[in-house]
Amino acid sequence: MPTAAVLPTGAGLAVHAAGRSRILPWDVARQLLDDPGLTIVTESQGELSPWDGERLLCAIAAGDEGAPSVFAGGAPADRHLVRALRRYPRRWARTIDASIIVGDLDGACCRAGLALPMGDALVAAETIARLMERYAGQVAVRQRLLDYHPWIGDAAWLSATGQLAETVVLEGLRRDQVQRAVVPGEVPVSELLSRPERFQATGDDARAAMRSILDGSVRWDDRGRLSLAPAAGGTFTVGSAELALGVGGLHSCDPAGAIDGPLVDLDVASYYPSIIAADAISPPQLPDFSRRVGLLMARRLEAKRARDHTASQALKYVINSLYGQLGNSRSGLFSPPDALRVVLTGQLRLLQLIDGLVASGCELISANTDGVVVRGDAEAGASAWETLTGLTLERTAYRRIWRTSVNDYVAQGPDGEVVKAKGRFAGGDDDAAEASRRSAAPVVARAAVEHLVHQRRMEDVIAGSTVVTDFAMWRRARDLSWGGRAVDERVVRWVVGRGGEPIVQSTGHRETSTVATQAIPVWDPARVDLAVIDRGWYLSEARDLVDRVLGTTHGAKQLSLL
């Protein structure tokens, strides 16, 4: 099927197809779009939704004289003017919104190491085409969902994962057909959960944590805000670990350090969907929701057994997104009490697992939402818990873990290789809010991991890198100035080097914070000279990360983006 990457602009339609980029006048653009065998790939810009973007393209294809006027105020198109356009049938085969597949264009370019479009529509169209080639597997996954669930239609290409999952499970019903008003409420946990007496523990510490949840209360409002008020506080020491309770899930408060094994990671496969199916948790507006979730999970298990990776991944996207829709006020499945039932059942079940493992002689090393890491023979306790709950644990052996916190670690397998890395050790940030806005330099994580796991010199790892993007960092450009000049781009990407200028973040009330002191822009990685990069700064960052784990010191701490 032929494909064209397009972006509407005030001057015409920017198109990249068959290796060529050009701006087509509106009348020529209509001829391109009048092709029932053509796939259009685009990006919804500004405040336009993917559905708005397709509406505009359909108006262009139909020759609507009002279509060019939506750019009267400049690009991007005015959302209100687009929604005022008449609806026209699509003349091409399908529209795929790239932002649904790859995320926003600038962020995807940073992750892929591509040049930033910098507002150039032709460059943006070519970039969309290149990114979609890289993400062909994601397109195949969504195509498989469409094959399995034909009622989702264009949502396969124009809806984000959560909304798409909802469309799948509604089985042809529209969101407005099931959506209901939610009344804010507050109830005791013991009244919220079915059969609370089933949550039992043998150890005093685990029992105390359970009782704090069960004797507590929960609250919700009509916007999806949830809260838990534990009866005896929200932190408990269970086994040898301090655990924190809350509506975000249970997690341990892990100190930094290196933990020797042998260790085993026990992780519940699709934990929240499994609880929904096992406990028959369904929002009132869709009484058989849990049955539908269970059927999707069974189909995914069949796909995994058949080694059909595309089908397995397609169903995984849907299954793992459904819990979030229970707490999403815009969702047709919105039901805060049921969202609370899932997360609190998850914490109580995890406490039962921890209790059984500790009772069998295991040492609790870490716990986080849907799994635990323990030292010792865990098989008896794990099997007993699986029998009790009907849930399935995935087992992963570790030789050693290096960590700075519960979400910031690298794990070494029995063969000496890295099995899992999260947070800074995966090239990201430990703080979830920060991770959504910026990315750390990959070479820092790689140098620290190579040093800890394979005893390589960090100097050698950093000196051996010859790729500019290994040193690049990026973040959303909101209220930023660079060298005293306001940043207009959506994203900034930089390396630290000689001759760089400071990036400063405005935090409101005339307060500012320095993001970087010697930042050199990386709009196009191919045009940056490796010689300007201050490799010593990156070595200091890698050493600082290792120091946080080992408690060592390699001199004065320098400015850190981590």
Side-chain angles (χ1 to χ4, degrees), residues 180-247:
R180 69 182 185 94
V182 168
V183 177
E186 181 176 5
V187 298
V189 172
S190 58
E191 294 182 13
L192 180 77
L193 300 181
S194 65
R195 298 183 294 113
E197 67 280 358
R198 62 196 163 125
F199 301 111
Q200 301 289 333
T202 58
D204 292 340
D205 48 6
R207 188 183 304 115
M210 282 187 179
R211 290 267 38 111
S212 188
I213 295 175
L214 291 168
D215 294 340
S217 62
V218 291
R219 180 183 299 173
W220 63 88
D221 66 14
D222 56 359
R223 299 179 63 183
R225 289 178 293 206
L226 314 175
S227 63
L228 166 68
T235 58
F236 291 85
T237 299
V238 180
S240 56
E242 181 180 334
L243 303 180
L245 314 174
V247 293

Side-chain angles (χ1 to χ4, degrees), residues 141-142 144-146 148-149 152 160-170 270 273 289 292-293 296-297 300 311-325 333:
V141 164
R142 287 186 171 243
R144 185 64 64 88
L145 277 178
L146 180 58
Y148 283 164
H149 314 102
I152 67 176
T161 305
Q163 185 178 351
L164 178 59
E166 179 183 329
T167 306
V168 168
V169 82
L170 287 180
S270 299
F289 173 70
R292 299 184 188 194
V293 173
L296 289 169
M297 295 182 68
R300 182 178 181 233
S312 173
Q313 197 66 21
L315 292 166
K316 179 181 178 180
Y317 283 161
V318 172
I319 291 164
N320 288 349
S321 298
L322 288 171
Y323 162 73
Q325 296 303 95
L333 302 173

Side-chain angles (χ1 to χ4, degrees), residues 70-310:
V70 302
F71 296 99
D78 184 283
R79 177 184 61 177
H80 301 290
L81 293 177
V82 170
R83 292 182 177 178
L85 292 171
R86 177 183 166 187
R87 293 184 182 275
Y88 296 93
R90 187 177 62 225
R91 299 187 176 193
W92 56 96
R94 63 181 179 179
T95 306
I96 302 177
D97 193 291
S99 63
I100 293 298
I101 306 295
V102 307
D104 74 275
L105 191 60
D106 289 331
C109 287
C110 290
R111 288 186 290 271
L114 300 178
L116 294 170
M118 300 292 290
D120 187 317
L122 285 178
V123 174
E126 181 180 357
T127 301
I128 288 171
R130 293 177 65 186
L131 285 169
M132 292 303 292
E133 289 176 1
R134 292 176 179 237
Y135 284 80
Q138 300 297 322
V139 174
V141 164
R142 287 186 171 243
Q143 180 62 58
R144 185 64 64 88
L145 277 178
L146 180 58
D147 295 341
Y148 283 164
H149 314 102
W151 60 84
I152 67 176
D154 292 337
W157 317 113
L158 299 174
S159 290
T161 305
Q163 185 178 351
L164 178 59
E166 179 183 329
T167 306
V168 168
V169 82
L170 287 180
E171 297 182 1
L173 293 173
R174 297 192 315 271
R175 172 177 283 184
D176 61 343
Q177 291 178 295
V178 296
Q179 204 162 24
R180 69 182 185 94
V182 168
V183 177
E186 181 176 5
V187 298
V189 172
S190 58
E191 294 182 13
L192 180 77
L193 300 181
S194 65
R195 298 183 294 113
E197 67 280 358
R198 62 196 163 125
F199 301 111
Q200 301 289 333
T202 58
D204 292 340
D205 48 6
R207 188 183 304 115
M210 282 187 179
R211 290 267 38 111
S212 188
I213 295 175
L214 291 168
D215 294 340
S217 62
V218 291
R219 180 183 299 173
W220 63 88
D221 66 14
D222 56 359
R223 299 179 63 183
R225 289 178 293 206
L226 314 175
S227 63
L228 166 68
T235 58
F236 291 85
T237 299
V238 180
S240 56
E242 181 180 334
L243 303 180
L245 314 174
V247 293
L250 179 150
H251 67 85
S252 54
C253 306
D254 296 345
I259 299 93
D260 289 326
L263 308 169
V264 60
D265 185 333
L266 301 170
D267 183 76
V268 189
S270 299
Y271 193 27
Y272 285 174
S274 296
I275 289 172
I276 289 170
D279 279 35
I281 298 175
S282 297
Q285 61 268 42
L286 195 66
D288 66 340
F289 173 70
S290 61
R291 180 191 65 81
R292 299 184 188 194
V293 173
L295 289 174
L296 289 169
M297 295 182 68
R299 289 177 62 190
R300 182 178 181 233
L301 184 60
E302 292 175 3
K304 290 179 71 174
R305 287 172 176 165
R307 298 183 179 181
D308 187 340
H309 177 74
T310 300

Side-chain angles (χ1 to χ4, degrees), residues 349 352-353 379-393 395:
R349 286 300 194 196
Q352 285 183 302
L353 174 61
E379 191 53 40
S383 297
W385 184 85
E386 288 177 318
T387 300
L388 173 69
T389 63
L391 305 179
T392 301
L393 290 165
R395 297 151 170 83

Side-chain angles (χ1 to χ4, degrees), residues 14 25 27 58 62 65 70 92 117 119 150 177 206 244 276 297 308 327 336 370 381 399 436 462 494 500 506 531 541:
D27 55 344
C58 288
E65 294 181 357
V70 302
W92 56 96
Q177 291 178 295
I276 289 170
M297 295 182 68
D308 187 340
D370 59 357
R399 177 189 293 180
S436 69
I462 291 172
W494 72 94
S506 173
E541 290 294 297

